[in-house]
């Protein structure tokens, strides 16, 4: 592996550090043995990139189940739905593999050469003991659906159901992802009623009102700051007016949600938080929750917010075996409410601190080189220290190039500089963009070889990833690579609703909804889903247009009988959409977008049981509203190909992925 960092000669701003921590905070964690008995009480397990965090979690859980823990007494909590789904599949596969390995027809106790410590541990003992463990694992597989492997929000929902009336479940509510539409309408109404007749200029624009209202409601449990100045004679400051505006929006939105019987997943978390912290019946609620579980494993704990940690602390800390697994160095989701200080607080109160100290992903040469730069460094807080890790893989899979390179530009590299003596940021970005493209071209033309397991071979564009922080730097990089004949693909977390493919589906669905409207039929005909060009449409006879209209009407009947999946399959097959779209320039990209939009539309239809009119309204809203473009993980634009071209993506989108060669061109971001 190699990483190329291009760093301008501009210096790095300093950051404040918190006071020295107490207790376990700041201490060096002890290595964690996945096969050893778990420490009692609360354990913080610090991971680093590539150290096998998920492997350790499912290994611990499987070992405990083999030793007698019923699977319904196990709680596995993680941050996102995709991570939860992966953890669930990994857990099921781990149990199944152990059942097969412990089969009496196969089992043997001499496992010294086996590199699986969990398997070695469960194979220790007499044949009767091993048979009993296999029986427990088989029972766990049979009862797997009784396990609780969920996101934090799903866990909160299940606990509220278990608490019944204590969990404020006396009314039936629909749970939705968010209520931004209600928030925005409330903010607009309140803004107009507050400032429409005001002779003075409002302290903030209507756009700002929408933005601060959304953020205030999404973080409903967080106190607003600064606190309003209630001095009667003083004219409220702009900040005070913003806070008062947001408080009123919060109050009105809550009232509207109650009337509509709606709750968001964040609401469920805040309700459970209020229940477990209630001075009168909070302890009784905590006791009922903890009776459901014996072992609690929390993944991605560095992304836990203070409310989630307080729920976990009150329910389980000091009462159950609680294992908190995370990497504070990867706490990058502050924009979602994550707060790394929850992790640091947990370290402070934990009974033991352990670490996964072997990197199974990166080569030893790269691990050693990175340790030269980051080893012992404190990242934002003296308690978040880069501890040394070992590499399971020796040497380097890359020959002919160093494992790590740092490329630097200095002021003397620029002929035009501003009054400060430094070049502008725009000039630096342009120079680095060109440098990255040229360096990749040199690498691809060099004798550098990469061994990915099948023997050394030449480096290809598909081996290379470029990681950036902001989307605005991506297009110049793509353009610079394209000018050198190097293909690239973007995987940045961009919503598929931003693509022309979403608009094409909207035009077609509108025509299917109202096939008698000639304007809609003509517009739909020009999409890749139908495939007419402008001259073909201009020359089309009334008879041919009527035939197209009839086809749209028939697709409407298919939708009524079989849903959107049947409609899209019929259209894609009848019009040979895949063959035609793949024949145009960048056809893979266009077809991928069309298929993803179709999948999302079908999911919406299934979940909401809506008709074509509802589909049109929903899809039009998603396309028009930028605030919804990055709201849901499954709306992130899929890669059209990932093996033949350079991949460019944001750091957030790349988390958890692996690449043989990585460029990080804008390190100061």
């Amino acid at each position: 592996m190699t990483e190329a960092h291009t760093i301008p000669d501009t210096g790095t701003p300093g950051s404040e550090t918190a006071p020295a921590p107490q207790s376990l905070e700041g201490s060096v964690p002890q290595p964690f043995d996945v096969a050893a008995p778990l420490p009692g009480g609360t354990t913080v397990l610090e991971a680093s990139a590539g150290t096998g965090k998920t492997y350790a979690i499912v290994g611990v859980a499987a070992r405990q189940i083999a030793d007698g823990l019923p699977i319904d007494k196990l709680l596995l909590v993680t941050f996102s739905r995709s991570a939860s789904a992966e953890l669930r599949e990994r857990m099921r596969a781990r149990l199944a593999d152990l059942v097969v390995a412990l089969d009496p027809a196969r089992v043997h106790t001499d496992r010294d050469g086996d590199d699986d410590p969990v398997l070695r541990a469960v194979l220790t003992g007499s044949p009767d003991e091993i048979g009993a463990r296999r029986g427990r694992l088989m029972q766990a597989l049979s009862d797997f659906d009784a396990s609780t492997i969920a996101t934090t929000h799903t866990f909160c929902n299940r606990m509220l159901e278990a608490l019944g009336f204590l969990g404020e479940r006396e009314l039936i509510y629909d749970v939705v992802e968010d209520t931004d539409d209600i928030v925005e309408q409330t903010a607009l109404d309140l803004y107009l009623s507050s400032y429409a007749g005001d002779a003075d200029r409002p302290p903030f624009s209507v756009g700002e009102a929408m933005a601060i209202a959304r953020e205030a409601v999404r973080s409903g449990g967080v106190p607003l700051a600064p606190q309003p100045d209630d001095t009667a004679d003083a004219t409220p400051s702009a900040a005070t007016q913003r806070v008062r505006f947001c408080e009123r929006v919060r109050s009105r939105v809550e009232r509207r949600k109650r009337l509509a019987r709606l709750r968001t997943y964040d609401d469920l978390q805040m309700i459970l938080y209020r229940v477990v912290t209630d001075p009168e019946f909070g302890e009784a609620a905590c006791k009922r929750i903890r009776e459901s579980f014996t072992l609690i494993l929390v993944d991605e704990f560095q992304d836990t917010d203070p409310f989630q940690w307080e729920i976990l602390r009150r329910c389980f800390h000091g009462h159950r075996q609680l294992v908190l697994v995370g990497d504070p160095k990867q706490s990058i989701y502050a924009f979602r409410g994550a707060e790394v200080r929850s992790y640091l607080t947990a370290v402070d109160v934990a009974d033991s601190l352990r670490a996964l100290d072997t990197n199974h992903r990166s080569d030893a040469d790269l691990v050693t080189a990175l340790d030269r730069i980051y080893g012992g460094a404190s990242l934002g807080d003296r308690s978040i220290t880069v501890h040394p890790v070992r590499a399971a893989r020796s040497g380097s899979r890359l020959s002919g190039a160093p494992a790590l390179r740092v490329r630097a530009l200095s002021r003397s590299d620029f002929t035009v500089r501003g009054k400060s003596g430094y070049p502008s940021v725009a000039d630096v970005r342009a120079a680095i963009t060109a440098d990255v493209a040229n360096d990749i071209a040199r690498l691809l033309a060099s004798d550098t070889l990469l061994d990915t397991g099948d023997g050394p071979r030449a480096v290809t564009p598909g081996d290379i990833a470029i990681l950036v922080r902001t989307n605005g730097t991506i297009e110049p990089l793509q353009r610079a690579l394209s000018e050198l004949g190097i293909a690239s693909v973007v995987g940045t977390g961009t919503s598929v609703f931003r693509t022309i493919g979403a608009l094409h589906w909207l035009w077609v669905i509108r025509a299917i909804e109202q096939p008698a409207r000639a304007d809609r039929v003509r517009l739909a005909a020009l999409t890749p889903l139908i495939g007419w060009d402008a001259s073909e449409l201009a020359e089309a006879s009334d008879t041919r247009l009527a035939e197209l209209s009839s086809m749209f009407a028939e697709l409407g009947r298919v939708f009524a009988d079989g849903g959107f999946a049947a409609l899209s399959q019929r259209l894609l097959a009848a019009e040979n959409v895949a063959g035609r779209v793949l024949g145009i320039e960048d056809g893979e990209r266009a077809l991928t977008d069309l298929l993803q939009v179709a999948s999302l539309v079908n999911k919406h239809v299934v979940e909401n049981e809506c008709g074509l009119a509802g589909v049109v309204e929903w899809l039009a809203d998603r396309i028009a509203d930028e605030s919804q473009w990055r709201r849901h993980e499954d709306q992130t634009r899929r890669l059209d190909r990932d093996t033949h071209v350079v991949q460019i993506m944001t750091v957030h989108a790349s988390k958890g992925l692996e690449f043989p060669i990585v460029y990080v061109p804008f390190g100061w971001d």
Side-chain angles (χ1 to χ4, degrees), residues 557-621:
R557 288 187 286 272
V558 171
F559 175 85
D561 293 337
F564 191 82
L567 180 158
S568 60
Q569 287 299 322
R570 173 76 68 86
L571 176 60
L572 293 172
E575 297 301 313
N576 188 28
V577 173
R580 184 177 59 256
V581 173
L582 288 174
I584 66 176
E585 184 179 357
D586 206 16
E588 288 179 275
R589 175 72 272 163
L591 182 61
T592 302
D593 291 339
L594 289 171
L595 294 177
Q596 185 178 1
V597 173
S599 175
L600 290 171
V601 172
N602 181 61
K603 179 181 177 183
H604 174 74
V605 171
V606 170
E607 292 178 348
N608 296 275
E609 299 181 355
C610 62
L612 283 173
V615 172
V616 168
E617 181 181 1
W618 174 82
L619 185 54
D621 286 345

Side-chain angles (χ1 to χ4, degrees), residues 238-548:
T240 293
Q241 292 187 62
R242 284 170 177 256
V243 170
R244 289 176 177 170
F245 176 81
C246 289
E247 288 175 341
R248 294 170 67 189
V249 169
R250 279 180 172 179
S251 176
R252 292 191 181 191
V253 167
E254 283 301 312
R255 185 165 61 251
R256 288 191 177 187
K257 286 195 297 185
R258 284 197 301 271
L259 292 174
R261 292 193 174 182
L262 292 177
R263 279 178 176 164
T264 66
Y265 291 107
D266 288 335
D267 290 335
L268 298 177
Q269 176 180 302
M270 292 310 302
I271 292 170
L272 185 59
Y273 171 79
R274 290 197 300 269
V275 169
V276 301
T277 58
D278 186 274
E280 182 178 352
F281 52 78
E283 180 51 39
C286 290
K287 183 178 179 182
R288 185 178 298 181
I289 291 172
R290 74 173 66 103
E291 286 173 351
S292 301
F293 305 105
T294 301
L295 173 63
I296 300 90
L297 293 160
V298 183
D299 189 17
E300 302 287 2
F301 185 67
Q302 78 278 354
D303 294 323
T304 299
D305 66 42
F307 301 104
Q308 293 165 352
W309 164 234
E310 189 63 13
I311 292 170
L312 293 169
R313 188 187 70 80
R314 287 178 178 261
C315 290
F316 305 119
H317 175 60
H319 303 278
R320 293 289 186 269
Q321 278 189 304
L322 174 62
V323 182
L324 308 171
V325 187
D327 182 0
K329 302 182 294 299
Q330 295 188 55
S331 183
I332 61 175
Y333 289 115
F335 65 92
R336 293 181 181 173
E339 171 54 79
V340 73
R341 295 207 172 275
S342 297
Y343 180 97
L344 300 180
T345 301
V347 170
D348 193 35
V349 302
D351 300 293
S352 57
L353 180 61
R354 298 287 191 271
L356 297 170
D357 63 348
T358 302
N359 188 315
H360 299 275
R361 180 184 303 164
S362 304
D363 300 335
D365 288 0
L366 178 60
V367 171
T368 301
L370 288 173
D371 186 65
R372 293 275 185 91
I373 296 178
Y374 293 111
S378 296
L379 306 182
D381 188 288
R382 281 182 288 188
S383 302
I384 305 176
T385 302
V386 181
H387 299 295
V389 296
R390 297 179 290 109
R393 184 189 297 272
S394 62
S396 175
R397 282 166 283 187
L398 198 68
S399 60
L404 175 68
R405 290 182 297 141
V406 178
R407 296 177 63 81
L409 299 178
S410 65
R411 280 181 290 178
S412 60
D413 294 317
F414 298 88
T415 56
V416 178
R417 293 188 287 271
K419 294 180 180 179
S420 65
Y422 289 94
S424 69
V425 173
D427 289 340
V428 173
R429 287 194 189 279
I432 288 176
T433 298
D435 183 69
V436 169
N438 289 323
D439 193 75
I440 290 175
R442 286 192 296 269
L443 176 64
L444 293 173
S446 70
D447 295 330
T448 302
L449 299 178
L450 176 68
D451 187 352
T452 56
D454 298 324
R457 60 168 175 80
V459 175
T460 67
D463 298 321
I464 301 171
I466 305 175
L467 305 187
V468 298
R469 181 173 179 269
T470 61
N471 290 324
T473 58
I474 292 173
E475 185 178 349
L477 280 168
Q478 274 200 298
R479 188 166 56 248
L481 289 169
S482 178
E483 290 173 354
L484 295 174
I486 302 171
S488 63
V489 68
V490 179
T492 64
T494 301
S495 171
V496 72
F497 292 129
R498 297 185 65 178
T499 67
I500 190 65
L503 199 57
H504 287 153
W505 264 118
L506 178 62
W507 293 346
V508 169
I509 297 171
R510 280 175 170 167
I512 296 172
E513 182 203 6
Q514 297 186 19
R517 287 189 54 172
D519 58 334
R520 294 194 171 188
V521 171
R522 288 175 175 272
L523 189 58
L526 293 173
T527 69
L529 291 163
I530 306 300
W532 292 16
D533 57 29
S535 60
E536 190 175 4
L537 180 60
E539 296 170 1
S541 64
D542 291 342
T543 301
R544 192 174 180 204
L545 287 171
E547 290 174 352
L548 183 58

Side-chain angles (χ1 to χ4, degrees), residues 54-107:
T54 304
Y55 172 86
I57 291 171
V58 299
V60 166
R63 171 74 193 280
Q64 296 299 311
I65 290 170
D67 287 344
L69 174 71
I71 196 167
D72 62 341
K73 293 294 184 181
L74 170 68
L75 172 61
L76 289 177
V77 180
T78 190
F79 183 62
S80 66
R81 283 176 296 185
S82 59
S84 175
E86 179 190 2
L87 194 58
R88 190 174 187 84
E89 290 307 309
R90 291 278 293 272
M91 187 71 235
R92 188 194 299 271
R94 187 60 158 146
L95 295 176
D97 289 344
L98 289 175
V99 167
V100 172
L102 269 62
D103 188 332
R106 303 181 177 210
V107 70

